[in-house]
Amino acid sequence: MAPAKQDDLPILIAGGGIGGLAAAYALSLKGFPVRVLEQTAEFREIGAGIQLAPNIFAAADRIGLKDALLADAWQPPAMEMRCALSGDLVTRMPLEQEFIARFKQPYAVSHRADIHGAFLQACQDSNLVSLENNQRVEDFEDDGGGVTAILQDGERVRGRALIGCDGMWSRTREKIIGDGAPRVSGHIAYRAVLKHSEVPDDLWRPDVVLWAGPRTHFVHYPLRRGELYNLVAVFHSDRYEEGWNTEADPSELWQHFNGQRPEVLRLLERIETWRMWVLCDREPVKDWSQGRVTLLGDAAHPMLQYLAQGACQATEDAVALAEAAAQQPEDLAAAFRNYQQARYLRTGRVQIMARVYGEFYHARGVTAELRDLMLGARTPQQAYDGIAWLYAGG
Ligand SMILES: Cc1cc2nc3c(=O)[nH]c(=O)nc-3n(C[C@H](O)[C@H](O)[C@H](O)COP(=O)(O)OP(=O)(O)OC[C@H]3O[C@@H](n4cnc5c(N)ncnc54)[C@H](O)[C@@H]3O)c2cc1C
């Protein structure tokens, strides 16, 4: 049998999370065959909420998936910040008509499984995308004419190029950049999802609500057309080195939220089982492409979740990458450099600003007073102006 010409070979994607599936689908729309190699036994996302800013909808619109992302989402009327000690409203940003008029797209909150499921369905409906489980990419070789992904069991998978969408602890990144383990931020997130019926009526709010406390914050919002309620409690702790989606110790949570408003404590009390995340990020870098191999999403620019942008940026990456590849299908190495050039400053800015927002949310004393003064004085239009670099960019 004659060897396949490299142009006939598929583009390989390591990792089938939100970024990997978005990239697979966006590339398939440009006519590229794609193989998604996912390490787990099935394609799925853990149960927790995710905020979707206008910039993800602008990106999803370019690949025809905006309606699919919105189908089961909840569109909150506003986002507000309250002081977790006094209960006072610090600031409220309306998310309805004037917001949509400004950013041309809505703001929504959704279940991660619903967003991942929308990208998965699109990939399953494409005859150019092959979805493959139990395939852990350990290494790769780029010989200039193509790329070979080396799987954990030693199998070698040949492709035209490789995109590392393998998340925070990316093997692909380790080989391209080699910057070691992610930076442990010292912030821990406890997450839980309740049914609507489990939330007391007087505590259920249609908005995204953030309770800012000293070295803590607590966020809640409805999910899945309002049927579910998402809770995220974040606090500072040096106890953990790293970890992901492990069962949490609620007594630690109580130590950190002790003394906060009854609205916060009563909601925290409703939870029987929390899942815990040790929040990590990395320093921004720019050289995340090497020949026919590049990175995308958390593998390229892992960020703290304080701007609620990791999945939004991964989706923007996917669309930008597919557009760059379509412009230079004969030279994917050059296309990957162009994609990286178009993306690194924006994603680096989100990585840095997410840290700043985290400090802002957890401020104490005079810093907290200043925060409240500055944010409280803004009109909605000024609030929109302040975040336009992010929501209207991309
Ligand atoms: C507490 C918290 C709240 C968040 N809230 C938001 C939010 O509101 N809005 C938002 O936009 N983002 C949010 N994020 C960020 C968002 O979840 C991530 O940025 C996003 O999911 C990254 O997607 P990804 O596809 O790049 O990586 P991942 O979701 O990590 O997917 C990586 C995939 O690759 C697979 N994999 C890993 N290694 C290999 C390998 N060697 N070979 C094959 N497969 C492999 C994994 O199994 C996984 O399926 C939040 C994150 C956290 C922790």
Side-chain angles (χ1 to χ4, degrees):
M1 195 170 70
K5 286 200 296 169
Q6 62 101 357
D7 287 0
D8 300 334
L9 290 170
I11 294 180
L12 306 178
I13 293 187
I18 289 171
L21 295 182
Y25 184 62
L27 285 163
S28 75
L29 289 181
K30 302 293 184 188
F32 294 99
V34 182
R35 281 179 77 175
V36 182
L37 308 169
E38 163 59 40
Q39 65 179 0
T40 57
E42 52 180 327
F43 286 90
R44 71 186 183 93
E45 271 281 346
I46 44 90
I50 194 160
Q51 300 187 48
L52 304 172
N55 54 305
I56 194 175
F57 292 113
D61 224 2
R62 276 153 59 189
I63 52 173
L65 291 183
K66 175 179 165 183
D67 291 346
L69 295 194
L70 274 173
D72 293 317
W74 176 260
Q75 292 188 45
M79 190 188 295
E80 66 177 39
M81 184 194 279
R82 289 185 174 270
C83 172
L85 300 179
S86 67
D88 292 346
L89 180 68
V90 175
T91 182
R92 181 175 167 87
M93 181 159 79
L95 298 174
E96 293 179 308
Q97 293 91 332
E98 51 182 335
F99 179 91
I100 295 171
R102 171 69 192 263
F103 296 113
K104 312 285 181 273
Q105 299 289 349
Y107 198 98
V109 283
S110 194
H111 198 291
R112 294 172 69 88
D114 297 344
I115 296 307
H116 186 261
F119 286 122
L120 183 61
Q121 186 65 53
C123 287
Q124 284 166 337
D125 292 345
S126 165
N127 55 16
L128 286 177
V129 180
S130 161
L131 297 164
E132 302 172 34
N133 292 104
N134 300 310
Q135 307 273 42
R136 179 170 165 82
V137 177
E138 282 294 342
D139 199 357
F140 64 83
E141 289 166 5
D142 179 355
D143 60 22
V147 176
T148 304
I150 302 162
L151 307 187
Q152 195 171 31
D153 62 4
E155 189 187 337
R156 298 168 71 84
V157 181
R158 183 93 176 133
R160 181 174 175 176
L162 170 67
I163 306 167
C165 303
D166 43 353
M168 179 79 76
W169 291 274
S170 166
R171 299 285 301 163
T172 324
R173 179 187 180 107
E174 200 173 306
K175 184 145 176 181
I176 295 183
I177 301 172
D179 55 354
R183 186 191 72 110
V184 177
S185 67
H187 299 191
I188 309 292
Y190 277 33
R191 304 211 275 188
V193 177
L194 293 176
K195 294 194 188 108
H196 187 152
S197 58
E198 292 170 325
V199 182
D201 285 346
D202 64 317
L203 296 181
W204 192 91
R205 297 280 315 277
D207 306 309
V208 175
V209 181
L210 185 150
W211 297 88
R215 290 160 69 90
T216 69
H217 79 275
F218 176 51
V219 178
H220 50 78
Y221 50 81
L223 293 179
R224 196 170 284 161
R225 303 174 297 271
E227 293 157 21
L228 302 174
Y229 211 59
N230 189 61
L231 308 172
V232 188
V234 180
F235 57 88
H236 291 215
S237 171
D238 298 329
R239 251 183 63 190
Y240 306 95
E241 279 304 306
E242 74 176 41
W244 185 254
N245 192 21
T246 49
E247 194 150 331
D249 171 9
S251 65
E252 190 177 22
L253 191 70
W254 288 114
Q255 284 166 28
H256 291 276
F257 286 82
N258 194 13
Q260 297 201 359
R261 290 287 300 173
E263 297 92 316
V264 173
L265 301 182
R266 283 176 58 214
L267 272 175
L268 293 179
E269 271 166 13
R270 309 298 299 181
I271 315 296
E272 281 170 17
T273 314
W274 291 93
R275 309 297 296 176
M276 183 192 86
W277 276 257
V278 177
L279 301 172
C280 301
D281 68 357
R282 291 179 183 273
E283 296 306 320
V285 294
K286 68 190 289 187
D287 295 316
W288 72 55
S289 301
Q290 194 180 80
R292 290 166 174 267
V293 186
T294 192
L295 303 175
L296 184 148
D298 277 4
H301 42 67
M303 51 189 62
L304 298 179
Q305 88 288 10
Y306 298 128
L307 279 170
Q309 276 287 319
C312 300
Q313 291 301 314
T315 306
E316 282 188 8
D317 284 351
V319 175
L321 176 73
E323 289 174 357
Q327 275 173 14
Q328 283 175 289
E330 304 312 322
D331 188 352
L332 288 181
F336 289 173
R337 283 195 301 277
N338 289 343
Y339 146 73
Q340 167 190 294
Q341 191 65 22
R343 296 293 301 153
Y344 80 92
L345 281 176
R346 175 165 172 78
T347 54
R349 184 171 179 183
V350 185
Q351 285 173 287
I352 297 297
M353 289 308 293
R355 292 180 184 171
V356 174
Y357 270 65
E359 295 302 319
F360 233 45
Y361 295 156
H362 294 178
R364 292 177 288 176
V366 176
T367 314
E369 266 187 62
L370 270 171
R371 172 197 67 201
D372 297 355
L373 202 66
M374 286 161 59
L375 295 182
R378 294 182 315 177
T379 63
Q381 289 306 330
Q382 287 168 330
Y384 300 160
D385 289 345
I387 200 72
W389 68 272
L390 183 57
Y391 290 177

